[in-house]
Amino acid sequence: MNYPLTGYHHITACAGGAQEDVNFFTQIVGLRMAKQTVLMDGKVPIYHLYYSNAKLEPGSVMTSFPYARKRGRPGSGQVQSTTFTVSKGTLPFWKEHFTRNKVDHDPIAERFGQSFIRFRHPSGLSFEVMEDKDDSRPGWVTPEIGKGESVHGFHGAVLSVREVEETEGFLTEALGFRKTGLDGKYHRFETGTGGANKTITLLHEPDRRAGSWTFGAGTVHHIALWGADDDALAQQKAIYEELGYTDASEIKDRFYFHSMYCRCPGGILVESCCNAGAGFYKDEDEAHLGQKLHLPPWFEDRSSQIMVELEPIRVPETATHAAA
């Protein structure tokens, strides 16, 4: 079967406060601020903030809904941790960086032969930086994080599941991933060439209570896999339905991209998406990415109300202007 999705596009989490989220991703993780917009569902204004590597590449885009109005419940059926890649030999830098900035983090650990450090967002979200000698995607440079230490993009997501078998079937039969490793409680699946941006890891936690599925601070809402165009999304939807995953959504207009959603048997929400036209460049050029809030056309008549209800944020200039 010809599977249309080729790796990650983005991962979306629910944070707490908007400013603490901006500070964390631009100063601690060292990503660029790529886009400021709002959640495109519902009537209550909620930021949708996009962060990325230097080239705003699919597979480097971390997005967040600052959702301080409600806490989520971490648990199984959720993304347990989101893993970024960094260059080989840089974990000592990252350990010192986290310590200096008083970021909660764990000792250096290893999974499938790759070393990583797990660290936490102020809302409780879990992230990892993992050394990868083969990933050369260009990271964003900040005053504290140089080119050699910068984050390249995603390695992948670690998904907590109570049972492995049904989610394994979803990954292999519906998405075209192949199982490539077992390391204790961790089951690794890869697509295409494998490695960075093409890996999903299942963490078997049979006794862990199920986590919440709705928006809630401290939980990841979904992972998003990348397709070339609307035809790829329609093809993926047809694969889901042919296999009996009949809860796949219709294709939705997210202004910058088009999206289709399906919840896997283990509970994790999986989005399929593709660019809509010029994508992130529809409303601002490269030189101005991430510098101000943009609303989709259908919200423009509410712009003054939305601005009043959103928490004011300040984005560091170093997150929108590349270092010389």
Side-chain angles (χ1 to χ4, degrees):
M1 185 181 293
N2 181 29
Y3 292 96
L5 306 181
T6 58
Y8 290 85
H9 179 264
H10 66 271
I11 297 176
T12 295
C14 294
Q19 186 63 58
E20 69 179 17
D21 189 69
V22 171
N23 295 345
F24 178 81
F25 282 116
T26 64
Q27 297 176 314
I28 302 304
V29 186
L31 300 177
R32 74 184 292 182
M33 172 62 82
K35 183 69 65 177
Q36 298 181 47
T37 186
V38 294
L39 177 63
M40 297 187 184
D41 293 323
K43 297 179 180 178
V44 178
I46 303 293
Y47 278 116
H48 195 177
L49 304 176
Y50 292 74
Y51 310 90
S52 76
N53 71 5
K55 289 191 174 180
L56 186 45
E57 294 173 275
S60 78
V61 182
M62 184 71 214
T63 93
S64 67
F65 303 137
Y67 208 81
R69 67 188 59 236
K70 179 184 177 182
R71 288 290 305 173
R73 186 181 67 249
S76 66
Q78 290 182 348
V79 173
Q80 193 256 5
S81 198
T82 299
T83 307
F84 296 101
T85 57
V86 293
S87 296
K88 187 76 172 176
T90 62
L91 287 190
F93 162 83
W94 281 96
K95 184 172 180 59
E96 193 277 331
H97 174 68
F98 294 145
T99 300
R100 185 174 64 253
N101 287 281
K102 297 180 172 57
V103 175
D104 184 29
H105 65 284
D106 297 341
I108 295 174
E110 189 174 290
R111 187 169 63 241
F112 295 108
Q114 289 181 272
S115 298
F116 67 94
I117 298 175
R118 182 167 293 172
F119 62 105
R120 279 159 283 279
H121 186 285
S123 68
L125 292 160
S126 174
F127 293 91
E128 298 170 348
V129 283
M130 174 178 279
E131 290 187 346
D132 190 312
K133 63 181 178 60
D134 299 319
D135 195 350
S136 60
R137 292 173 291 174
W140 187 255
V141 175
T142 77
E144 287 195 49
I145 303 171
K147 182 178 180 181
E149 296 78 33
S150 61
V151 164
H152 300 299
F154 295 130
H155 181 269
V158 179
L159 314 182
S160 172
V161 294
R162 291 172 63 92
E163 297 175 343
V164 171
E165 289 78 11
E166 289 301 319
T167 301
E168 177 173 332
F170 179 85
L171 295 177
T172 57
E173 297 171 15
L175 295 176
F177 281 68
R178 62 193 182 278
K179 190 167 189 175
T180 60
L182 176 64
D183 187 349
K185 298 185 295 182
Y186 293 95
H187 301 246
R188 185 181 62 198
F189 298 82
E190 298 176 281
T191 190
T193 56
N197 194 40
K198 296 182 182 295
T199 299
I200 291 175
T201 302
L202 300 185
L203 171 59
H204 186 206
E205 297 187 295
D207 300 320
R208 193 176 188 194
R209 185 184 181 198
S212 54
W213 285 1
T214 56
F215 297 130
T219 58
V220 174
H221 189 257
H222 63 268
I223 65 172
L225 303 178
W226 178 243
D229 50 30
D230 283 346
D231 287 343
L233 269 58
Q235 183 182 348
Q236 184 60 50
K237 182 174 171 62
I239 292 171
Y240 284 149
E241 292 174 344
E242 179 180 333
L243 292 171
Y245 298 109
T246 54
D247 61 342
S249 76
E250 298 304 315
I251 296 174
K252 298 176 181 288
D253 183 0
R254 300 311 194 193
F255 189 61
Y256 303 108
F257 47 89
H258 293 159
S259 301
M260 184 266 295
Y261 303 85
C262 184
R263 196 171 292 279
C264 78
I268 297 92
L269 185 61
V270 178
E271 175 184 342
S272 308
C273 71
C274 67
N275 271 356
F280 292 117
Y281 300 96
K282 290 175 77 171
D283 51 14
E284 54 190 355
D285 59 22
E286 171 68 27
H288 297 92
L289 280 173
Q291 295 182 26
K292 68 176 186 178
L293 180 70
H294 289 271
L295 301 178
W298 54 90
F299 280 174
E300 287 293 347
D301 62 338
R302 298 177 53 211
S303 59
S304 57
Q305 172 200 350
I306 288 172
M307 293 301 294
V308 167
E309 294 187 38
L310 289 172
E311 173 192 344
I313 58 173
R314 185 190 68 82
V315 177
E317 186 174 335
T318 53
T320 57
H321 293 77

